[in-house]
Amino acid sequence: MRGAALSRPATNVDAPGHPSLTAYAESVGRRVAEATSDEDKRLRGQIFTPARIATLIAEALGPLGTRVRLLDPGAGVGILTAAVCERAARAARPTRVEVDVFENDATVIPALRGVLETCAASLAARGHRLEARLYDEDFLDRVGGVGATPLFRRPIGPYDAVVMNPPYFKVGRDSEHAHLDLGEAGHNAYALFMACAVDLLDDAGRLTAITPRSFCNGPYFRRFRKRMFEKRHLESVRVFESRRTTFAAQVLQESVISTWCGRSPRRRVTRIVADDGDRGVALSLPTVRVVDRRGGDVVRLPTSRLDCDVLEFVERLPTTFEDAGLTVATGRVVAFRARGFLRNDPSAPATVPLLTMHHVRPPTVVWPIPGLAGKPQALALGKETEALLIPAEPCVLLRRFSAKEDRKRLIASVLDPSSMKTLSKGVAVENHVNVIARRDAALSSEEAFGVAAILNSSLFDRYFRILSGNTQVNAAEVRSLPFPDSRTVARIGRRMRASDRLDPPSGDVVVCEELSIPETSARKLLGR
């Protein structure tokens, strides 16, 4: 039924057997999830919202008027609408909630209808009113895509508020949404949902969404960020530093609740809350410190005063990684493509060392690793593999992936040819590792140790975490990092080489001293 209004009242006035409408909707969602296969959840990007998160999203909308025009696209079982209704039910004055909910999963719609009917009855019993229209269709199809003209958009809205936990999946060429105009929103369903919904808001309306943090930085979402900031002000961001506090470890990267409100010259502050699962630590910062409008609209999310200091220290550096003459590229060996040339035995004849994430163990690359069972450590030489090799010269290897719970996100090691006697013909690097070299000449040993010490430092690791909540370290992110000039890099490297200790903690001290980090901040960074 398209845009059908609820026509029959629920028999139960309150959420049956539950303390609140939100808790009731959560229990309904749990039952639906238990009856849905993991494959179906993956294909739909479906992760139902926990009650605590739904409550936070509803509260982020700010004060509710006596009439609330609400949009809940990709509603699931309706827990976000239930959370808004729960707020309305507590209002002193009669409140009317007019909500359009979208859900195209036929197996979920009966549960969604039941939740909406329960919300309507509960509000009516308290002197309020819910008018719900249920659209059993794809929200993106309804609105016609990003930037669609009224000719191709079936009219809905405008809305005072949008709440959403949009689906999370990549939109490929073979996707059912491939016909939409993706140029302004990136190629992920959650960005499309946000970009389309923001067009449906009233000038003073708010959009609150829980999504992965990936939109905050990187070229992939650059045009999406530009579009959002042209239309809205980023009012607040709640950062969940542990994925277990949001979706019970079902999402690999950090999640955020972002709230976007109408633009105004008076709106110059963004509130950031570091959510630890119990109570949040809040910072109110000038928006210009949070959003770098000159550098691709990157959203920085410092969650402590020390983070703010780190932003200041690193971003006053005189150059960037790329402008310092450094290059970064992913390793050339893709395991499944080179399967026939991989060798587990590092001493196999006619081979060169194959370096993977396992060999990146600061301060220097460790190869071979005894007992690395079932893992290739060598690549067969031949015409087919010549193009996969890099010269046997000093360089830095940086892991592209880390576990979310790893103490460090940036993990780098120096490839020192003098310590490996088998590199005369070159070396192969697997594509889960970034290779850092110099653009116009070989990287000196001093420079290599300097670059590795800087990337391994607590200062840069913390800065990178402020920029990115992803466990992947992309080459594009590394290229844009602020960085010391080449003389400072070499000086750090010389001090590291002259020391008997090359470990990252020792490098921390050298980096802080050479970059003139104030002693108080340095002690906090180093945990002293």
Side-chain angles (χ1 to χ4, degrees), residues 299-491:
V299 179
R300 290 85 63 91
L301 297 178
T303 57
S304 68
R305 288 299 172 189
L306 179 58
D307 282 353
C308 294
D309 291 342
V310 167
L311 273 177
E312 180 183 347
F313 300 149
V314 175
E315 294 188 348
R316 74 184 181 193
L317 291 172
T319 186
T320 66
F321 179 92
E322 192 168 37
D323 291 340
L326 299 170
T327 65
V328 57
T330 58
R332 300 174 183 176
V333 178
V334 180
F336 75 90
R337 293 176 183 164
R339 187 175 292 114
F341 303 99
L342 305 181
R343 304 289 183 266
N344 291 351
D345 182 3
S347 61
T351 62
V352 295
L354 173 63
L355 303 179
T356 69
M357 288 175 55
H358 302 285
H359 301 100
V360 180
R361 299 185 177 185
T364 57
V365 169
V366 177
W367 185 94
I369 298 176
L372 199 61
K375 302 291 184 182
Q377 296 198 67
L379 182 75
L381 282 171
K383 290 183 178 180
E384 299 91 340
T385 58
E386 285 179 357
L388 301 180
L389 305 185
I390 64 172
E393 298 173 345
C395 64
V396 176
L397 301 188
L398 175 68
R399 290 186 191 176
R400 284 186 59 211
F401 297 90
S402 63
K404 173 65 180 70
E405 290 75 17
D406 277 352
R407 191 175 67 87
K408 289 288 184 73
R409 189 73 52 83
L410 298 179
I411 303 173
S413 290
V414 174
L415 175 61
D416 185 2
S418 65
S419 65
M420 300 174 66
K421 299 179 181 179
T422 56
L423 295 186
S424 58
K425 296 181 179 179
V427 62
V429 180
E430 198 254 350
N431 75 322
H432 288 96
V433 177
N434 286 315
V435 181
I436 296 172
R438 178 164 285 288
R439 184 186 305 115
D440 52 3
L443 199 65
S444 72
S445 180
E446 288 178 347
E447 289 175 318
F449 277 94
V451 169
I454 291 165
L455 292 177
N456 283 326
S457 69
S458 297
L459 177 69
F460 269 73
D461 189 79
R462 195 173 191 113
Y463 179 78
F464 190 82
R465 288 175 184 267
I466 294 169
L467 295 184
S468 174
N470 206 327
T471 56
Q472 182 172 346
V473 180
N474 294 311
E477 295 169 336
V478 176
R479 291 188 191 103
S480 62
L481 284 176
F483 218 70
D485 59 62
S486 57
R487 286 179 297 180
T488 303
V489 171
R491 192 163 60 246

Side-chain angles (χ1 to χ4, degrees), residues 68 127 206 281 292:
V68 182
R206 277 180 166 78
V281 178
D292 182 3

Side-chain angles (χ1 to χ4, degrees), residues 11-31:
T11 56
N12 49 313
V13 173
D14 289 309
H18 295 275
S20 69
L21 290 172
T22 311
Y24 169 61
E26 181 180 49
S27 69
V28 172
R30 193 179 300 118
R31 291 196 299 271

Side-chain angles (χ1 to χ4, degrees), residues 3 8 29 45 65 67 72 100 111 119 124 169 193 196 218 257 291 308 326 345 375 386 388 446 474 476 498 507:
R8 61 183 179 85
R67 181 193 180 199
D72 186 353
D100 288 346
C119 289
F169 57 83
F193 267 67
C196 289
I257 294 175
V291 181
C308 294
L326 299 170
D345 182 3
K375 302 291 184 182
E386 285 179 357
L388 301 180
E446 288 178 347
N474 294 311

